[in-house]
Amino acid sequence: MGVSRRAGDLPPFIVMDVLERAQELQAQGRDIIHLEVGEPDFDTPEAIKAAAQKAMTGGQTHYTHSLGLLELRQAIAAHYGRRYGVTVDPGRVLVSSGTSPAMLLMFAALIEPGQGHEVILSDPCYACYPNFINFVGGQVARVPVAEDDAFQYRPEAIAAAMNAKTRAIVINSPANPTGQLLDAGRMAAIAALAPGRPGGPYVVSDEIYHGLVYEGREHSILEFTQDAFVLGGFSKLHAMTGWRLGYLIMPQAYVRPLQKMHQNFAICAPSMAQWAGVAALTQAEDDLARMVGVYAQRRRVMIDGLRGLGFKIPHEPCGAFYVLTRCDHLDPDDYRLAFHILENAGVAVTPGRDFGPGGHGFLRFSYANSQENILRAMARLADYLARFYPHRAGG
């Protein structure tokens, strides 16, 4: 039909298929509890909304610098200084309409099509990483992480997967879908594997879930090397998914190439959202602390509820807002099981295969929903298991 191969071969984002089927059921009058999407249910804090309104009424409705408002880039740099004790040049920050466009530009700058360039990913990992890499002509090298090892991404396994074609190592801590953290020692070891020399591998650190940590502490890759890429944004911690605001911190050599791509393909991120981002980093601390406290309570409720239903969680997730747990004691086909649960229990969850081969046989549950709804979902799942898996349910 004339569709390019890379467009036609692009796999679906399965969690969106689940969400869209759930919405169809809701349109038919069904009550669906959403535990599938990683979207905060909180409203954006008032100070952030007020900053956007002020920008709009004050005439700040025009193009900004293609790298982003200087005030926002300075605020991002100051945030990394306060939280991680690192120095970031605002000139190495690119503000984008969410982290996804920045990721696409970054991989396009790292990967030369037709050269067999590889990017190392954990398995399982965020569903869209491999799709970005393949779309720009790269290859994915997967490093398995295991549930009984707390889904730890180990430097020695990464080193074994590296070769002359390796262009990047992607880390994500706290991680989607596992909710686990990398400790400082592992991050330092990974940084040593990818010193960021021209033509050599770089570390790409997706730090979108920073701040959403309930045990331990998250680290930025910039604590261990300045020659790395950092993806960050406002969607998760600041409850700003619809604002579409993210950023990329990059090595100096990549600033001008990425700026030129951004000029051509996006011009700039929305100006009002950028002013909202300044407020998010400077005026919303109390709101963020309140939301994180609520997530911590929900996390406990969900882990206890799933264990009570017979799901094994040998190592509790300590960040983001996800629990990834095996489901193959019920059905080895996690995709079939997720949609069966949706249709018969009215609870939307994500099949683990969305996150790579290592996710087969798992389900991901999101606690970015109210405690009341999580408890209702656990009750519905208890009834579902009693109906369809009476000999396998229970603690």
Side-chain angles (χ1 to χ4, degrees):
M1 298 295 292
V3 176
S4 69
R5 176 175 294 179
R6 66 180 177 182
D9 290 348
L10 189 70
F13 194 2
I14 297 175
V15 67
M16 297 308 296
D17 285 346
V18 176
L19 173 62
E20 287 157 14
R21 177 56 184 158
Q23 291 170 336
E24 290 174 3
L25 293 173
Q26 287 176 306
Q28 297 169 15
R30 294 277 304 277
D31 177 44
I32 304 297
I33 302 172
H34 293 274
L35 304 183
E36 80 280 37
V37 289
E39 178 172 28
D41 62 317
F42 295 105
D43 192 16
T44 302
E46 288 300 321
I48 299 172
K49 293 191 291 185
Q53 291 167 348
K54 181 180 178 182
M56 187 179 300
T57 58
Q60 300 290 340
T61 57
H62 305 283
Y63 292 145
T64 71
H65 193 287
S66 57
L67 289 176
L69 282 171
L70 179 58
E71 292 87 344
L72 178 53
R73 290 184 283 129
Q74 290 173 331
I76 291 166
H79 167 73
Y80 272 79
R82 288 192 307 270
R83 190 163 184 89
Y84 308 107
V86 300
T87 299
V88 173
D89 179 357
R92 294 198 294 118
V93 179
L94 180 140
V95 178
S96 56
S97 296
T99 56
S100 293
M103 196 182 307
L104 183 62
L105 298 181
M106 177 196 67
F107 282 129
L110 281 168
I111 292 166
E112 190 71 55
Q115 299 301 307
H117 286 165
E118 294 184 357
V119 176
I120 293 176
L121 303 175
S122 65
D123 183 21
C125 67
Y126 173 53
C128 294
Y129 292 153
N131 299 337
F132 282 119
I133 294 161
N134 291 332
F135 193 80
V136 299
Q139 306 293 322
V140 172
R142 298 182 185 269
V143 172
V145 296
E147 181 187 35
D148 59 6
D149 190 32
F151 296 112
Q152 285 303 310
Y153 197 20
R154 298 203 170 272
E156 59 271 24
I158 295 171
M162 295 178 68
N163 58 55
K165 298 290 189 180
T166 303
R167 295 290 284 143
I169 302 164
V170 177
I171 64 176
N172 177 212
S173 173
N176 177 11
T178 67
Q180 296 296 353
L181 286 173
L182 282 169
D183 64 32
R186 287 193 184 91
M187 290 190 76
I190 294 169
L193 293 173
R197 291 186 296 268
Y202 288 84
V203 178
V204 173
S205 181
D206 183 350
E207 302 182 359
I208 189 66
Y209 292 100
H210 276 214
L212 294 168
V213 176
Y214 319 104
E215 294 181 16
R217 173 178 171 254
E218 74 275 38
H219 292 275
S220 173
I221 194 62
L222 298 179
E223 297 175 52
F224 309 99
T225 175
Q226 284 289 312
D227 290 317
F229 292 86
V230 171
L231 290 157
F234 299 85
S235 291
K236 308 299 184 178
L237 176 62
H238 299 87
M240 293 175 65
T241 52
W243 295 75
R244 307 314 304 135
L245 188 66
Y247 57 84
L248 174 69
I249 303 171
M250 65 200 119
Q252 186 62 46
Y254 283 82
V255 172
R256 185 57 178 162
L258 279 156
Q259 180 187 16
K260 290 188 297 181
M261 285 192 286
H262 200 232
Q263 289 172 339
N264 277 278
F265 305 144
I267 301 179
C268 65
S271 57
M272 291 83 74
Q274 292 190 61
W275 284 110
V278 175
L281 292 172
T282 59
Q283 300 178 37
E285 284 189 11
D286 291 345
D287 295 285
L288 304 186
R290 174 183 58 82
M291 290 188 287
V292 171
V294 173
Y295 284 130
Q297 296 170 359
R298 295 173 179 179
R299 167 181 169 269
R300 187 75 267 150
V301 169
M302 178 166 280
I303 290 172
D304 291 346
L306 290 172
R307 281 177 168 163
L309 295 172
F311 292 95
K312 308 302 180 185
I313 306 172
H315 300 277
E316 296 183 359
C318 46
F321 30 60
Y322 306 115
V323 179
L324 185 71
T325 182
R326 283 198 172 277
C327 64
D328 51 4
H329 64 295
L330 302 175
D331 188 335
D333 188 330
D334 51 279
Y335 184 91
R336 178 174 59 201
L337 179 62
F339 279 94
H340 196 256
I341 290 171
L342 175 60
E343 300 287 343
N344 292 279
V347 178
V349 299
T350 306
R353 69 186 55 210
D354 206 11
F355 309 104
H360 286 233
F362 288 83
L363 295 175
R364 189 195 72 177
F365 294 80
S366 169
Y367 48 92
N369 204 329
S370 69
Q371 183 169 316
E372 176 188 2
N373 281 338
I374 292 169
L375 289 169
R376 290 175 59 224
M378 295 301 114
R380 289 187 184 185
L381 288 170
D383 291 342
Y384 170 85
L385 292 172
R387 278 192 292 151
F388 294 100
Y389 300 95
H391 302 298
R392 301 180 189 180

